[in-house]
Amino acid sequence: MTKTALITGASRGLGAALAKALAPTHHIIAVGKTVGALEELDDAIQAAGGQATLAPMDISIDEAMQQLCRGIFDRWGSLDLWLHTAIHAAPLAPAGHIGPKDLAKSMTVNIEATSRLIAYVSPLLGQTGKAVFFNDPRGGDQFFGAYGATKAAQIALARSWAAETAKTGPRVDVLTPAPMPTATRARFYPGEDRNALSSPADEAARLLPAILEGATA
């Protein structure tokens, strides 16, 4: 039976690179908001001999995520992997000047949507599946208040889930990618020399052994 990998945030960056890296061994369920980018990803996966199911959805819309997970259950019955790379990167701002809308969206996408997805995806992973989250520790850094706080909260949720399921499964890991020239990072460091950064494809290749470690055989 073909293994399955759900990737939330698969349109671009690390999520897309991981989808391509896993495609030789997994059917990719790619979730993202940008239809064109998902179609490009699908073309790349098919060209390499893999298969993908595209889910152009917003993870912050509860009904869409319920529909997604129900659809996964109806078609495959379970999941082998869930990689959560989706994130909202609020603009940098002093702590006293964070825009209410920026903070609200950061909380909705980075914390609330993650919490709901854990509840919906956990039964699909069962005892033998694996979930992987990707840390970007910016909590306490100057001007990173909205992003740093909500990203830290997201990872705290993941680590609590990992502790709770350590003996029963699913396995939950938190990995820390190296800095990459992604759109998210470009918002934070617009003048940075991107040539000095690790490409998403290289990071996906580096992280893949840790992602597959302990995953369903």
Side-chain angles (χ1 to χ4, degrees):
M1 182 179 293
T2 303
K3 299 176 185 177
T4 51
L6 169 65
I7 303 179
T8 38
S11 298
R12 297 189 177 93
L14 183 61
L18 288 168
K20 295 172 188 175
L22 283 166
T25 55
H26 292 71
H27 183 102
I28 304 300
I29 304 156
V31 178
K33 292 191 296 183
T34 308
V35 175
L38 287 177
E39 291 174 344
E40 290 176 9
L41 173 64
D42 187 37
D43 290 342
I45 289 174
Q46 289 194 46
Q51 291 187 327
T53 296
L54 305 184
M57 296 176 168
D58 185 338
I59 66 164
S60 68
I61 299 176
D62 186 26
E63 294 81 2
M65 294 302 96
Q66 290 185 39
Q67 179 185 353
L68 170 72
C69 292
R70 178 66 200 209
I72 292 171
F73 176 77
D74 288 344
R75 181 169 177 182
W76 292 285
S78 63
L79 273 174
D80 295 295
L81 275 175
W82 171 34
L83 310 184
H84 188 49
T85 65
I87 197 73
H88 174 65
L92 299 181
H97 296 273
I98 297 171
K101 290 183 179 179
D102 290 327
L103 181 59
K105 187 170 182 179
S106 298
M107 294 177 67
T108 296
V109 175
N110 301 345
I111 305 173
E112 295 172 12
T114 300
S115 178
R116 286 197 299 266
L117 278 166
I118 289 171
Y120 298 156
V121 174
S122 182
L124 294 170
L125 293 173
Q127 295 181 329
T128 59
K130 183 176 181 180
V132 184
F133 296 80
F134 300 90
N135 199 9
D136 184 16
R138 298 292 174 187
D141 288 1
Q142 59 180 354
F143 309 122
F144 276 89
Y147 175 81
T150 55
K151 182 64 180 178
Q154 180 192 81
I155 297 303
L157 275 171
R159 287 182 170 146
S160 290
W161 187 25
E164 292 154 6
T165 61
K167 294 182 179 180
T168 63
R171 176 166 172 170
V172 181
D173 282 354
V174 175
L175 303 177
T176 303
M180 296 169 287
T182 60
T184 296
R185 188 172 178 89
R187 295 191 69 180
F188 298 150
Y189 303 101
E192 184 177 38
D193 178 10
R194 294 165 70 84
N195 293 322
L197 304 177
S198 178
S199 73
D202 287 344
E203 274 306 284
R206 183 182 72 85
L207 295 170
L208 194 61
I211 289 170
L212 293 176
E213 179 187 0
T216 305

